Amino acid sequence: MAAVLAVNGCAEVENLLQFCNISKERIRVEEQKEFTSPKEPTLTFSSGETVTGMRTVGAYLFRISPRKLLGGSALERALVDQWMEYCQSHLESSLQDGTLIKGELRYLDKSLSRTVYLVGCQLTLADIMLYYALHPLMLELSVQEKEQFINLSRWFNQVQYYPGVRQYLPEVSFLRNMLYS
């Protein structure tokens, strides 16, 4: 029997499921499940055990996926976990409280100044989770604001064109030439 994934309004988890290329025989998707919090996906196994939360469900999906994006070494796996925790704890609260978001964007821009992706030179689950979390915000930023965060913009643009990541989400446009200084 397939595990049941209750999406609960969390579109990102459906994107992850599709990106992970997991068959419908393994995981069946439902829109809502009773007694769960909104925006928190829940995965219920045939044994009756349940895991809840975007980070937990996302990590499980990538563990059973043919795609290996959780890091190749113990250090890389720890860094992926660290960035996923950052997305869940710091970034989500900053996105809700709009006054703190510029500081978080500066932090991300600085962190991405010395690397291609969040964890070295290959795409990981942390990149995908951060991409989905930032997508609505990046859509709203002006050209000038995107240019202030040039490393973040470079990373975001690179991730959005990684095959299978963006899916149905609208493309975020970036200028190729700096217009402002």
Side-chain angles (χ1 to χ4, degrees):
M1 182 178 173
V4 177
L5 176 62
V7 176
N8 297 330
C10 187
E12 294 92 349
V13 77
E14 285 187 278
N15 293 340
L16 282 179
L17 187 63
Q18 195 170 26
F19 181 77
C20 288
N21 198 22
I22 298 171
S23 70
K24 304 249 187 242
E25 291 82 39
R26 286 191 85 175
I27 297 183
R28 182 172 47 95
V29 178
E30 293 180 353
E31 180 55 36
Q32 260 181 286
K33 189 168 181 164
E34 288 184 41
F35 309 115
T36 57
S37 62
K39 290 285 191 182
E40 287 290 317
T42 302
L43 185 61
T44 304
F45 299 92
S46 57
S47 64
E49 293 181 285
T50 300
V51 293
T52 301
M54 185 63 200
R55 179 176 166 200
T56 308
V57 170
Y60 177 79
L61 293 177
F62 272 87
R63 283 190 182 95
I64 67 169
S65 169
R67 294 181 183 254
K68 301 301 177 200
L69 298 173
L70 292 174
S73 67
L75 174 59
E76 287 177 351
R77 286 188 294 276
L79 289 169
V80 169
D81 283 343
Q82 174 183 302
W83 278 110
M84 287 174 45
E85 185 174 331
Y86 168 81
C87 288
Q88 187 176 16
S89 59
H90 293 89
L91 189 62
E92 284 184 17
S93 63
S94 292
L95 287 170
Q96 291 172 0
D97 178 14
T99 59
L100 302 174
I101 196 61
K102 294 292 184 181
E104 294 299 331
L105 293 178
R106 277 192 292 281
Y107 171 75
L108 289 168
D109 189 67
K110 184 177 178 187
S111 297
L112 289 162
S113 68
R114 56 188 180 272
T115 184
V116 177
Y117 293 105
L118 291 173
V119 181
C121 294
Q122 73 178 43
L123 185 81
T124 64
L125 175 59
D127 294 292
I128 295 168
M129 299 286 281
L130 183 61
Y131 169 81
Y132 290 140
L134 288 177
H135 188 273
L137 177 67
M138 295 299 282
L139 269 174
E140 294 176 5
L141 289 180
S142 69
V143 172
Q144 296 91 338
E145 289 172 317
K146 290 175 192 167
E147 288 177 358
Q148 284 180 331
F149 308 111
I150 195 72
N151 298 306
L152 177 61
S153 294
R154 172 206 36 89
W155 167 86
F156 189 91
N157 198 37
Q158 188 167 313
V159 172
Q160 86 173 335
Y161 285 112
Y162 195 93
V165 173
R166 186 168 45 103
Q167 297 176 26
Y168 66 87
L169 294 173
E171 178 182 347
V172 175
S173 60
F174 296 88
L175 290 180
R176 295 181 187 263
N177 298 330
M178 297 285 284
L179 296 178
Y180 306 94
S181 56

